[in-house]
Amino acid sequence: MTRQPTTDTPPTAEEAEFARRLGALTLEQKVRLLTGADFWSVHPEPAVGLRRLVVSDGPAGVRGELWDERSPSANVPSPTALAATWDEPLIERLGGLLAHEARDKGVDVLLAPTVNLHRTPYGGRHFECFSEDPLLTARIGVAYVRGVQGGGVAATVKHFVGNDSETQRMTLDARIGERALRELYLAPFERIVGEGRAWAVMAAYNGVNGHSMTESPLLREVLHDDWGFDGLVMSDWFAVRTTEPSARAALDLVMPGPIGPWGDALVAAVREGKVDEALVDDKVLRLLRLAARVGALSDVPTTARPPKYDAASVAARLRETAAAGFVLARNEGAVLPLSRAALSRVAVLGPNAAVARTLGGGSATVFPPYTVSPLDGIRAALGDDVEVTHGVGVTPQTRTPAADLSYLRHPDGSGEGVEVRFLSADATLLGSERRTGGAYTWMGSYGPGVPTGQVARVEVHTVVRATGPGPYAIGGSGIGRFRMSVAGTEAFDVHLQLPPGADLVEALMTPPQRLHTIDLAENEETEVVLTHDIVSADDSLGEAVTMFQLNLQPPHGSDDEEIEQAVALARAADVAVVVVGTTEEVESEGFDRDSLALPGRQDELVRRVAEANPRTVVVVNSGSPVLLPWAEEVAAVLLTWFPGQEFGNALADVLLGVTEPGGRLPTLWPASEQGLPATEPVDGVLTYDEGLFIGYRGDGRGGQQPSRYGFGHGLGYTTWDYVSIDVPGETQPGAGLTAEVRIRNSGTRHGKEVVQVYASRPGGAVERPVRWLAGFAVIEAAAGEEAVATVTVDARTFEHWDTEAGGWAVEPGTYTLEAGPSSTNLPLAADIAVGQESNRS
Ligand code: BGC
C-alpha cells in the first residue's frame, strides 16, 4: 500500500555530473563536507567547484550571518499569523520576499518553515509553527516553500518530527501512535516534500518511539523510501551525538561545525567497514544536488531569481500580510471598523501599545530595521485632528529589556550608541566596534582583524542619559562573569549561572540578569562600563558563542497608578484600544509556557477599561493562544499574533476599515486550561496520549477543553450567507473531488471569506475525530454578489493509516462533507459515497 516516491530522480546529465564530481573526492574530502564549516555555513570544496554554502534562520525573517542591529532583516509576521491568512498565493509571495532577503544577505538555505503541529498551546515555539491542522499546515507550507525556492533559495522543512514542545527537547522520546504519526505529525512533511518539492529537511533534537531523530529509521523508511525525497537532511544544531548510528541513518549533514561527531571518527568507521562508503557518497551527492539548486556549484547555472523588492515594497508586502492574518474574533454592535470622521479622541492603552511586539524568542529572532508600534501606527493614520492619548496600564515583564538606544550616548560624544572593546587577558585592546543597541552576539568570530582566540574580555562603554527623573535599573544579562561600573565606581561583580537542566537556547534568550538601580535627574548623564569575561569556568557555551545584553529599565509608575491613569484616559475617549499580549520572554524557543494567562495584571486592566468605556477594542498581541476571561465583556477582540515590523500600520488599516481583518484561526483558542496536553516528559518520555484528537479534533469528545473561539473562526467586515454545496454523489478510493460552495455577500461592503469544508464519517468503524478539515478556498465578492468557491478535497481526506497493513486505507461507505465559515458553524452538508477499495498499491 506504500505510495510510489513522489520526487524520483532520473539519472539526468546533471545527476551524472554530480556523480563525476563525487568521484574526484577522497574519503577525507567527502566526510569533511558533511559537517558544517562553522555555525552558519558548509565548507567550500574547490576540487568539485563547490563554493561556501550559507544557511540562516528563519522563520521571522532571514537573519544572515550577523545577529545584531548592524544587519537588519525584514521581520515578517509569525507563522501562526501566516497560517491565519489561509491564503496560499499571499504566502507564496511572502516566500518570494524571503528569497529576496536571503540573496541580499548571501544566504543560500533558509532554515524554515517550521511545520511541527500545535499539539498544545503550551508549546514554546507554538508561534513558530503554522497550525494544529495537518492539511492547513501542509498547504501553507507548500506555498511558503514554493515562494522561497522559486527565488532560488532552499527551504528547510523542520523539525522532522515530533518536536512539538520544548521541555527536554534535546533528549525526550515522543511516543506517538502510528496513526497519529502518519495522519497528523508526518502529514505536513509528506506534502511539503512531495508537492512542495522542498530541497532540505532538518532532523529534530528529540526522539520518536525510541529513536533519536538524527538516527531514526523514519529518515530512510519514510522520507527516502515512501516519499522519494531527493534533498538533504541536516541535523538541528548540536543534535547529533553519535558517529555510526547517525551516519548509517539517512542524515546527510551535521550542523554546526567545524567540530562534531563525524569528521575523523567517520573516516575511521568507513575504513573499518562499520559504515558503508556508499552511504557517505549518497550524502555528498545530496549536498551537491542542493548546491546546484541554489547556484553554489560551478558551471551548473540556475535560472531562479528572487523577485525584486525595495524598502517601500517590503513594507507594503509586510503590511498587507499582517492585516490578512489578523483575526477579528468578536465585534459586538459592529464597533469596528471605526469611522474616522466620528472620532475626536482615542485612548491607545496597554503594555504592548507603545512597544511593538513583533516576534517571539529563540533562533528565529531577527533585528528589524524599524518597527511600527500600535500607538505610532494609529497616530499616523488618524493625523492631527484626532487626539490620541496613551497609558501603559501595567508593566508585565519580569525581565529588564535590552537598553533602548535613546538612553545611550557614545563615550566619544558623537551621538547615540556604545563602544564595544575586545581585550586580551593582559588588557591589550584587540579591536572595537561602534554599536547602536544593547544586545550583543558573536558566533565564532568577533569580526575582521580581531584574533578570536585571544579575546578574554568584552567591555561595553557608554554614557546613560536620563530622559526623565527617577530610578533607572541598569545591568547586564548573560552567562559567566559580569562587572559593571557606574561613574567609575564598581556597581557589581558577579558570576551569572543558569539553573541546572536549562536548554541551550534558554541560556541564550533568557539568561540570568543582574541590575543596579541609580537615581538620575532629567537629562543627567552618567558613565557606565559593563565588562564580560568570556572564558570562564561556568561559561557553558565556551568561546564559540558570546551573547549578552546591557539592560536598562527607565522609571515607571506602579501598576496601580498606571491602571488608574488608563481608566481615566479610557473614560475621556470615544474609543479605547487596549493592546495586551505576551513578549519573547514568555513565548520562545527553549522552554514551554506554564500558563496561558496574559502575564501580569493585564486581565484586570482590560476589565477596568471596559467598565470605563463600552467601546473598548482589545487587540491581543501574542503569537499563540492566551486566555481571555473578559472576552464577553468587551466590544471587540482582534487577535494579531506577532505581526512583524509593520504591526502598527496594519493595525490602523484594520481598525479604520481600510483593510478587512483577513484571518481565520489556524488553531482553536481554548477558554480554559482544562484537559490540554501537557509538555512535561515523565522519565524522559512524552506520551501523546490524546492520539488523533488534538485541538478541534477533540471537539465533541468528553473531557476535552471547551473552546473560546473554534478552529477556523474569524469575522470580516461584511456578512455571508451559505447558499448551497454541490459535491459528486460518489467517489472512488484514491480519487479526490471538488466541492462547489455557493455563498452570498449579504453585507454592505466587498469582503473576503475563507470557505471551509470538513469531512465526517458518521457510524464508521474506524476511530476518528467527529470532523476534520477536508479543504478550503479563499474567495472575495462585492456587496450583494454571489460567488462559488471551488474547494479541492484530496483523496487523503477519506483515508486513514492502517496500522496492520502499514499503509493508507479507505473505509468504504458514506462520508459527509460540511461547509461553512468555521469548524463550529457549518450550515451546509452533503453526503458522498466512497466506494470499495480495489487494487490500490
Ligand atoms: C533550532 C532550529 C534552528 C537552529 C539554528 C536550533 O536551536 O531548533 O530551529 O534552525 O537552532 O539556529
Side-chain angles (χ1 to χ4, degrees):
M1 278 198 182
T2 301
R3 283 280 161 79
Q4 289 304 308
T6 44
T7 54
D8 49 329
T9 316
T12 57
E14 215 173 52
E15 289 292 322
E17 176 61 16
F18 300 152
R20 193 191 64 71
R21 293 194 197 199
L22 172 75
L25 295 174
T26 64
L27 177 62
E28 283 77 3
Q29 284 174 315
K30 289 188 279 193
V31 167
R32 182 172 167 270
L33 287 177
L34 302 180
T35 295
D38 53 34
F39 245 86
W40 308 120
S41 77
V42 178
H43 289 286
E45 180 48 86
V48 292
L50 173 66
R51 70 158 167 77
R52 182 172 178 263
L53 270 179
V54 177
V55 307
S56 179
D57 294 296
V62 183
R63 182 182 56 228
E65 289 185 84
L66 216 54
W67 201 359
D68 58 49
E69 82 286 351
R70 289 170 296 177
S71 175
S73 313
N75 173 204
V76 310
S78 59
T80 37
L82 302 185
T85 69
W86 297 60
D87 188 337
E88 293 149 296
L90 185 82
I91 300 307
E92 190 166 338
R93 290 197 291 275
L94 189 80
L97 183 150
L98 290 168
H100 157 83
E101 285 277 302
R103 281 299 170 221
D104 220 37
K105 288 170 166 278
V107 169
D108 302 292
V109 180
L110 182 65
L111 304 177
T114 308
V115 302
N116 300 110
L117 293 186
H118 293 163
R119 171 177 174 253
T120 165
Y122 292 120
R125 291 178 98 168
H126 192 283
F127 72 91
E128 206 186 307
C129 309
F130 292 126
S131 165
E132 67 186 15
D133 184 81
L135 179 67
L136 179 59
T137 300
R139 283 179 52 176
I140 293 296
V142 166
Y144 188 102
V145 167
R146 283 193 175 142
V148 172
Q149 295 191 168
V153 171
T156 309
V157 196
K158 66 188 188 183
H159 310 82
F160 188 83
V161 60
N163 183 186
D164 307 295
S165 50
E166 296 297 282
T167 309
Q168 298 175 27
R169 65 177 170 153
M170 306 278 171
T171 51
L172 77 81
D173 184 28
R175 295 275 164 84
I176 312 177
E178 219 181 312
R179 279 194 66 199
L181 189 58
R182 289 281 184 164
E183 295 178 24
L184 301 182
Y185 299 99
L186 285 170
F189 289 96
E190 178 179 10
R191 189 151 177 158
I192 298 169
V193 161
E195 196 179 314
R197 302 202 157 226
W199 294 338
V201 165
M202 186 186 289
Y205 287 118
N206 54 282
V208 170
N209 297 338
H211 299 276
S212 172
M213 280 315 302
T214 48
E215 303 171 2
S216 170
L218 294 172
L219 294 172
R220 191 172 311 284
E221 290 169 10
V222 175
L223 198 53
H224 280 198
D225 297 347
D226 287 1
W227 302 345
F229 177 62
D230 70 355
L232 174 125
V233 180
M234 74 178 79
S235 72
D236 201 342
W237 268 232
F238 303 106
V240 184
R241 285 150 284 209
T242 62
T243 304
E244 290 158 32
S246 59
R248 277 193 221 111
L251 176 81
D252 305 311
L253 177 66
V254 171
M255 287 303 286
I259 297 161
W262 287 7
D264 293 345
L266 179 53
V267 171
V270 172
R271 293 251 151 80
E272 288 161 24
K274 292 180 182 155
V275 173
D276 192 344
E277 189 165 353
L279 292 176
V280 170
D281 287 352
D282 181 56
K283 297 177 198 304
V284 176
L285 276 176
R286 287 170 183 272
L287 180 66
L288 294 178
R289 197 177 291 135
L290 174 70
R293 286 171 166 164
V294 299
L297 208 54
S298 63
D299 305 320
V300 185
T302 53
T303 48
R305 297 280 173 272
K308 289 204 181 343
Y309 274 94
D310 59 15
S313 50
V314 167
R317 171 76 64 231
L318 296 181
R319 184 171 181 162
E320 172 199 22
T321 310
F326 289 176
V327 177
L328 182 59
R330 174 180 171 89
N331 192 16
E332 285 302 290
V335 65
L336 293 180
L338 302 173
S339 158
R340 192 177 177 286
L343 297 173
S344 57
R345 189 183 292 139
V346 175
V348 181
L349 309 167
N352 289 28
V355 180
R357 300 294 179 184
T358 66
L359 41 66
S363 56
T365 310
V366 294
F367 285 75
Y370 64 87
T371 55
V372 183
S373 71
L375 181 62
D376 290 344
I378 292 169
R379 278 206 169 123
L382 289 177
D384 293 339
D385 334 334
V386 182
E387 188 188 349
V388 177
T389 57
H390 169 62
V392 70
V394 293
T395 311
Q397 296 111 284
T398 50
R399 290 174 63 78
T400 294
D404 192 85
L405 183 60
S406 55
Y407 299 102
L408 308 177
R409 294 284 174 281
H410 195 277
D412 69 5
S414 60
E416 290 180 334
V418 308
E419 186 188 0
V420 175
R421 296 183 192 162
F422 304 105
L423 299 129
S424 68
D426 64 3
T428 308
L429 184 64
L430 302 169
S432 68
E433 284 173 355
R434 184 193 178 93
R435 298 290 299 275
T436 51
Y440 315 104
T441 303
W442 298 272
M443 289 183 148
S445 158
Y446 293 101
V450 183
T452 306
Q454 290 177 34
V455 178
R457 211 155 88 208
V458 182
E459 292 180 353
V460 178
H461 293 249
T462 191
V463 174
V464 168
R465 182 157 192 261
T467 49
Y472 283 72
I474 307 173
S477 49
I479 301 159
R481 185 174 177 199
F482 287 87
R483 283 168 282 168
M484 191 173 81
S485 68
V486 178
T489 305
E490 183 175 286
F492 57 72
D493 180 350
V494 283
H495 272 88
L496 297 178
Q497 278 174 312
L498 276 176
D503 184 275
L504 171 82
V505 170
E506 184 175 0
L508 297 175
M509 293 299 142
T510 53
Q513 265 185 340
R514 178 59 180 260
L515 300 168
H516 173 78
T517 302
I518 48 171
D519 277 313
L520 295 173
E522 183 157 6
N523 295 330
E524 187 180 343
E525 295 191 342
T526 188
E527 207 179 78
V528 171
V529 180
L530 179 69
T531 303
H532 175 41
D533 291 359
I534 58 157
V535 185
S536 70
D538 50 10
D539 181 351
S540 59
L541 297 170
E543 287 173 62
V545 181
T546 303
M547 194 170 194
F548 66 95
Q549 293 182 346
L550 170 70
N551 303 108
L552 187 150
Q553 178 72 60
H556 58 86
S558 71
D559 282 356
D560 283 333
E561 287 161 3
E562 296 291 352
I563 288 177
E564 291 314 322
Q565 151 115 29
V567 167
L569 293 174
R571 197 169 286 127
D574 307 316
V575 174
V577 177
V578 193
V579 192
V580 292
T582 64
T583 66
E584 70 284 352
E585 189 187 312
V586 175
E587 291 187 65
S588 173
E589 177 182 343
F591 49 89
D592 293 314
R593 283 193 290 171
D594 55 12
S595 162
L596 303 186
L598 283 168
R601 293 168 62 185
Q602 296 187 82
D603 288 333
E604 183 185 341
L605 171 70
V606 172
R607 284 200 158 111
R608 293 286 313 279
V609 168
E611 274 163 27
N613 190 329
R615 282 162 58 84
T616 290
V617 174
V618 184
V619 175
V620 183
N621 176 202
S622 65
S624 37
V626 286
L627 300 178
L628 312 173
W630 34 257
E632 308 295 311
E633 299 160 34
V634 301
V637 179
L638 183 68
L639 314 176
T640 60
W641 317 105
F642 290 137
Q645 70 195 40
E646 280 288 323
F647 183 12
N649 288 333
L651 180 64
D653 287 345
V654 166
L655 293 179
L656 295 172
V658 176
T659 311
E660 253 200 320
R664 305 293 184 266
L665 287 179
T667 287
L668 74 73
W669 277 45
S672 81
E673 301 192 39
Q674 181 207 325
L676 294 173
T679 61
E680 192 69 36
V682 177
D683 296 332
V685 172
L686 185 64
T687 308
Y688 285 27
D689 284 322
E690 69 291 335
L692 297 172
F693 305 102
I694 62 170
Y696 79 93
R697 286 170 191 249
D699 282 354
R701 292 170 63 87
Q704 298 292 326
Q705 72 278 16
S707 64
R708 166 84 55 207
Y709 302 124
F711 177 81
H713 172 66
L715 308 169
Y717 286 154
T718 186
T719 50
W720 300 90
D721 288 340
Y722 276 71
V723 179
S724 63
I725 181 169
D726 189 13
V727 297
E730 58 178 20
T731 187
Q732 294 310 311
L737 58 95
T738 50
E740 299 205 328
V741 181
R742 181 174 291 275
I743 61 173
R744 182 186 309 111
N745 182 341
S746 52
T748 54
R749 59 177 275 169
H750 178 103
K752 159 188 166 178
E753 177 71 333
V754 179
V755 173
Q756 301 163 38
V757 172
Y758 293 81
S760 56
R761 178 68 168 87
V766 177
E767 186 180 41
R768 300 174 207 263
V770 171
R771 61 178 59 80
W772 61 97
L773 184 68
F776 57 91
V778 175
I779 190 162
E780 292 187 17
E785 262 183 20
E786 278 195 5
V788 175
T790 304
V791 180
T792 303
V793 176
D794 298 318
R796 178 61 61 80
T797 300
F798 306 109
E799 295 175 341
H800 63 274
W801 183 258
D802 182 336
T803 48
E804 267 172 43
W808 294 101
V810 172
E811 183 190 11
T814 302
Y815 289 71
T816 303
L817 292 176
E818 294 168 289
S822 88
S823 64
T824 53
N825 181 5
L826 296 165
L828 301 175
D831 284 347
I832 177 160
V834 181
Q836 202 74 40
E837 190 134 15
S838 61
N839 297 328
R840 291 194 57 229
S841 65

